[in-house]
Amino acid sequence: MATRILIAGGGYVGLYTALRLQRRLRRGEAEVTVVNPENYMVYRPLLPEVASGTLEPRHAVVPLRAVLRGSRFIAGRLTGIDAERKVASVAPTAGPWLDLDYDELVIGLGATSKLVPVPGLAEAGIGFNSLAEAAHLRDHVLRQLEIASATTDTELRKRALTFVFVGGGYTGVEAIAELQDMAIDVLEGYPELDASEMRWVLVEAMDRILTTVSRELADRAMTELTGRGIDIRLGTQLESVEEGELRLSDGSKFFSDTLVWVAGTRPQSIVGELGLPVDGRGRLVVDQAMRVEGHPGIWAAGDCAAVPDREAGGVSPPTAQHAVRQAEQLGDNLVATMRGEWPRPFKYRSRGEFVTLGKNKAVGEAFGREFDGALAWTLRRAYYATQIPTWNRTIRVLGDWLVGMPFGHDVVDFGSREEPRGAFEEAAGRSAVGG
């Protein structure tokens, strides 16, 4: 009888584990089922460029059904497991819940934004953890430029042109850099505005930005950002957001309608409800082979698991590089286990890091060398374009970048897509009044 492998999550872990199994399994050896709410995987390193408009949103995703033709796909969410009976409960997009039997279960549910109890944050903040949020943020920034260019109210103008990002990790640095670069580039279309009127603030609680990279690389990035006028507040926290007024722990306060929260992530809440062991940060406790402690037949990797790092010690960092390699090793370990062999421990040494800071601007280090400027920017793009699954996606991404290089950013706000029925409902209302 074929081994039943259930993969919960369609991100890096889910996609790359399934791809590895497709390549390694013999015909009829196993039945692989992937469960994910969306039928696509978001290639997260490209989200900053989706936000700045240099990349079409559809090209930053991988369609799961198209690449996992050897697997069954179910659009739904994992809601619970019975580890003794080896049954997983899944809530599909529509219809009754499903009970799926499994022999091997892979949990790769990723992470979500980590919020702290800051008054007003839940109501005013904008996340940056999904394709929809990245696209929304671009539209939002352009909408603020439109507001500022049209108003004669000095305070409203100042408020609209103040953009605050909380969190100085990869996501925060790349997001603020790309969006500021875009905003300055499109100002030619706003003769009423001047770049000096815009205020970009990056708030970081630690004493440095980019804590997961070398100090030298972080300092290079900080020099570039501050040189462009971005106000970086180190050792500072957001204390409250009340009616648009932001208060920081350093005593400063100002009004802004743009508060982007990128101050870390946490595992999905369902991870802690499965009855499996978790650490102090809510991540599943796994051994070096990525088996969940005390539960044979259950595996976990990625942001929702505390995967031991044999190279650096401690736990593997939550990076795309590590998640992909964990998934590939996990796939190999599943095959080895099915064939009566010993699974191998995960180990991986990072090949380098790159941080995009806008068009033709980046910093990076790889193979013992440091890079910056246009060279680092080009190397980063080349790396990610070749790493995204399928040549179809690689060509689409490269096409977007090559076509966009000679031109500036489009001054187009698609904010209306957030309320696609707005015009129809307005027409219906007028018809009712007129009828």
Side-chain angles (χ1 to χ4, degrees):
M1 181 178 176
T3 300
R4 297 163 300 184
I5 301 176
L6 176 62
I7 300 175
Y12 286 107
V13 172
L15 173 62
Y16 283 92
T17 298
L19 286 174
R20 194 70 161 193
L21 290 171
Q22 284 186 176
R23 289 194 290 268
R24 294 287 316 277
L25 290 172
R26 306 184 185 110
R27 183 182 298 274
E29 191 172 10
E31 297 174 352
V32 180
T33 300
V34 178
V35 175
N36 196 59
E38 295 86 22
N39 66 354
Y40 59 84
M41 171 265 206
V42 179
Y43 201 69
R44 297 188 185 282
L46 299 181
L47 284 184
E49 282 145 306
V50 170
S52 66
T54 57
L55 188 66
E56 162 65 35
R58 290 181 297 108
H59 297 167
V61 303
V62 180
L64 295 176
R65 288 187 179 275
V67 298
L68 299 180
R69 297 189 183 278
S71 305
R72 178 191 180 193
F73 175 78
I74 297 176
R77 298 178 182 274
L78 179 71
T79 59
I81 62 172
D82 184 331
E84 290 188 7
R85 294 174 51 227
K86 290 196 170 185
V87 175
S89 298
V90 172
T93 301
W97 285 21
L98 305 173
D99 286 333
L100 302 179
D101 297 319
Y102 66 84
D103 298 304
E104 305 285 346
L105 171 64
V106 177
I107 302 175
L109 297 176
T112 187
S113 296
K114 180 182 179 181
L115 300 186
V116 296
V118 173
L121 173 60
E123 294 75 22
I126 302 172
F128 196 80
N129 203 42
S130 69
L131 193 69
E133 288 172 330
H136 164 75
L137 190 53
R138 178 182 184 276
D139 292 337
H140 175 82
V141 170
L142 290 174
R143 195 175 311 126
Q144 296 308 109
L145 298 183
E146 294 292 349
I147 292 172
S149 66
T151 187
T152 57
D153 185 322
T154 303
E155 290 304 314
L156 176 58
R157 184 186 182 103
K158 185 176 180 180
R159 176 170 172 166
L161 294 177
T162 299
F163 307 95
V164 182
F165 290 66
V166 181
Y170 264 115
T171 306
V173 168
E174 292 192 331
I176 194 172
E178 282 281 345
L179 283 160
Q180 190 232 25
D181 188 67
M182 177 201 74
I184 291 176
D185 187 53
V186 303
L187 278 186
E188 183 179 347
Y190 297 88
E192 308 88 354
L193 304 179
D194 187 86
S196 62
E197 295 182 83
M198 290 194 294
R199 184 181 186 185
W200 296 82
V201 184
L202 179 61
V203 180
E204 169 54 47
M206 305 292 285
D207 63 355
R208 54 170 285 199
I209 61 173
L210 298 171
T211 56
T212 58
V213 305
S214 69
R215 171 73 71 169
E216 292 75 14
L217 190 64
D219 288 344
R220 284 192 177 201
M222 186 160 177
T223 298
E224 164 69 24
L225 295 178
T226 54
R228 285 160 47 178
I230 295 178
D231 180 5
I232 300 179
R233 306 290 184 92
L234 298 178
T236 306
Q237 299 181 40
L238 176 68
E239 292 192 333
S240 68
V241 188
E242 297 177 344
E243 298 182 351
E245 184 182 56
L246 281 66
R247 293 176 179 268
L248 304 182
S249 61
D250 63 4
S252 60
K253 57 184 179 180
F254 42 82
F255 286 91
S256 173
D257 287 327
T258 307
L259 170 61
V260 184
W261 183 262
V262 279
T265 59
R266 63 171 178 79
Q268 301 279 352
S269 58
I270 184 62
V271 172
E273 300 168 5
L274 297 176
L276 303 176
V278 296
D279 67 4
R281 296 178 58 181
R283 300 170 299 187
L284 291 166
V285 179
V286 300
D287 63 16
Q288 293 185 341
M290 291 169 285
R291 295 169 296 198
V292 174
E293 189 175 274
H295 291 272
I298 302 181
W299 312 71
D303 292 353
C304 71
V307 180
D309 189 334
R310 295 186 68 192
E311 292 291 331
V315 175
S316 297
T319 68
Q321 282 190 56
H322 283 80
V324 170
R325 274 69 187 188
Q326 287 170 12
E328 292 174 343
Q329 183 63 59
L330 202 162
D332 288 342
N333 286 350
L334 280 167
V335 173
T337 300
M338 290 165 52
R339 298 174 182 171
E341 303 168 2
W342 286 102
R344 291 169 42 223
F346 171 74
K347 60 179 180 179
Y348 174 69
R349 184 183 296 275
S350 175
R351 297 179 180 178
E353 307 288 350
F354 286 96
V355 183
T356 181
L357 301 174
K359 189 174 183 179
N360 288 321
K361 295 177 282 289
V363 295
E365 54 187 10
F367 306 109
R369 295 186 57 190
E370 294 184 350
F371 307 90
D372 59 18
L375 177 59
W377 180 78
T378 302
L379 291 173
R380 176 189 178 275
R381 287 195 160 192
Y383 174 76
Y384 284 127
T386 57
Q387 291 301 302
I388 191 169
T390 78
W391 282 105
N392 176 303
R393 248 47 200 175
T394 295
I395 293 171
R396 289 171 186 262
V397 169
L398 288 174
D400 277 359
W401 286 340
L402 290 173
V403 171
M405 283 177 66
F407 310 104
H409 297 80
D410 286 330
V411 191
V412 180
D413 166 19
F414 283 114
S416 58
R417 63 186 167 190
E418 296 171 21
E419 297 180 10
R421 297 189 69 252
F424 185 84
E425 290 173 348
E426 181 181 356
R430 289 179 177 176
S431 297
V433 173

